[in-house]
């Protein structure tokens, strides 16, 4: 099955893992829409990839619903949905306020849910579609000081599995990738946080993140993009409802 010209929507496509996924999908010949808040970053990536950029805060449900209509109006029905955008605030349980908890769930879980609900029925009617959720290995195991993030990523894993069972006979597959620490702004912020709270220097803090993986390194965004792409071709249709760890063996 030729995937050239199929339409993909990647949330958070303006930087980090989402940018790498958008780049990979565009290189494979898909028409790509990227969505995020940072108009300048999105425009830069869209220009480089000949993609379309849409500015929206995923936590704003009404704006998100309007953006879905706008994307489909511009590019046609969406065949591939990559729920990549996410936020990862870290704090002890006592310091995790309601706003932090609600925002983690709004961006990390409710937006993917809303996008799946808006787009999956049309994919199913058309008999083909792919949903890939970028969860985290924090969706497969616990980490201290990340209760909102960890709980939200476990919810994404649950959403992935439930939807996969629900749509199994439609030609649509639903999977998640669950990276360990990846070399992006998000892990840089995590290292800065560790350095600040443990009074270590930046190199020691980064080494602490690297040491979490048996491979003693951070993943690259391109490795995550490769894993996402591997779930898209027709030949991958048997991979369904899986939440695939990409963490150098950390969860092995
Ligand atoms: P990043 O560099 O911080 O990028 C986060 C992306 O999410 C940005 O493109 C950002 O776009 C978008 N985003 C955040 N809040 C948004 C909102 N309210 N509305 C729209 N877009 C929003 O992070 P990353 O490392 O690329 O992470 C991408 C995904 O991988 C996340 O789901 C993260 O949880 C997951 N992950 C990351 C790691 C890691 O170590 N980096 C490990 C495991 C899983 P704008 O700035 O344009 O809004």
């Amino acid at each position: 099955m030729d995937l050239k010209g199929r339409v993909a929507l990647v949330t958070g496509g303006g930087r980090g893992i989402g940018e790498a996924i958008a780049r990979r999908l565009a290189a494979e010949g898909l028409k790509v829409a990227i969505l995020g808040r940072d108009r300048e970053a999105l425009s830069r990536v869209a220009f480089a990839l000949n993609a379309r950029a849409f500015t929206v805060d995923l936590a704003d449900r009404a704006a998100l619903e309007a953006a879905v209509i706008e994307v489909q109006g511009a590019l046609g029905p969406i065949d591939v949905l990559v729920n990549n955008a996410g936020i990862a605030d870290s704090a002890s349980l006592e310091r995790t306020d309601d706003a932090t908890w609600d925002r983690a769930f709004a961006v990390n879980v409710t937006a993917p849910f809303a996008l799946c609900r808006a787009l999956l029925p049309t994919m199913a009617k058309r008999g083909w579609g792919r949903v890939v959720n970028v969860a985290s290995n924090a969706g497969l195991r616990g980490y201290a000081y990340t209760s909102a993030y960890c709980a939200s990523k476990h919810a994404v894993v649950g959403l992935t599995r439930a939807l996969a069972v629900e749509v199994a006979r439609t030609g649509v597959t639903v999977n998640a990738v669950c990276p360990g620490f990846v070399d992006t702004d998000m892990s840089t912020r995590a290292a800065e946080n560790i350095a600040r709270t443990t009074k270590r220097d930046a190199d020691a803090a980064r080494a602490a993140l690297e040491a979490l993986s048996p491979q003693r390194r951070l993943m690259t965004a391109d490795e995550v993009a490769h894993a996402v792409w591997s779930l898209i071709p027709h030949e991958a249709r048997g991979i369904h409802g899986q939440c695939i760890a990409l963490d150098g063996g950390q969860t092995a």
Side-chain angles (χ1 to χ4, degrees), residues 12-18 35-38 42 56-59 84-87 103 107 134-137 149 153 179-182 184-187 189:
R15 62 190 159 98
I17 294 169
L35 189 155
R37 291 164 305 175
D38 184 340
L42 291 166
V56 68
D57 183 342
L58 286 169
N84 160 79
I87 50 172
R103 192 153 178 86
V107 176
V134 180
S136 168
N137 78 353
Y149 182 70
K153 292 297 186 178
F181 278 99
V182 183
T184 66
D185 294 349
M186 189 178 275
S187 52
R189 284 192 300 273

Side-chain angles (χ1 to χ4, degrees), residues 4-51:
K4 289 197 175 33
R6 295 265 182 181
V7 177
L9 172 62
V10 181
T11 65
R15 62 190 159 98
I17 294 169
E19 177 181 353
I21 294 168
R23 203 181 323 114
R24 180 63 188 264
L25 296 179
E28 299 288 351
L30 280 79
K31 285 196 272 178
V32 177
I34 54 176
L35 189 155
R37 291 164 305 175
D38 184 340
R39 188 184 299 271
E40 211 174 291
L42 291 166
S43 301
R44 178 182 53 78
V45 174
F47 180 74
L49 302 182
N50 198 20

Side-chain angles (χ1 to χ4, degrees), residues 87 89 91-93 95-110 146-155:
I87 50 172
D89 292 324
S92 67
L93 176 63
R95 288 174 185 273
T96 301
D97 57 22
D98 287 356
T100 302
W101 179 270
D102 290 346
R103 192 153 178 86
F105 272 74
V107 176
N108 296 351
V109 192
T110 307
T146 58
S147 53
Y149 182 70
C150 245
S152 71
K153 292 297 186 178
H154 275 70

Side-chain angles (χ1 to χ4, degrees), residues 73-74 77 89 131 133 144 149 159 166 197 208 211 223 225:
D89 292 324
V131 176
N133 296 322
Y149 182 70
L159 176 69
E166 189 166 330
T197 51
E223 289 175 271

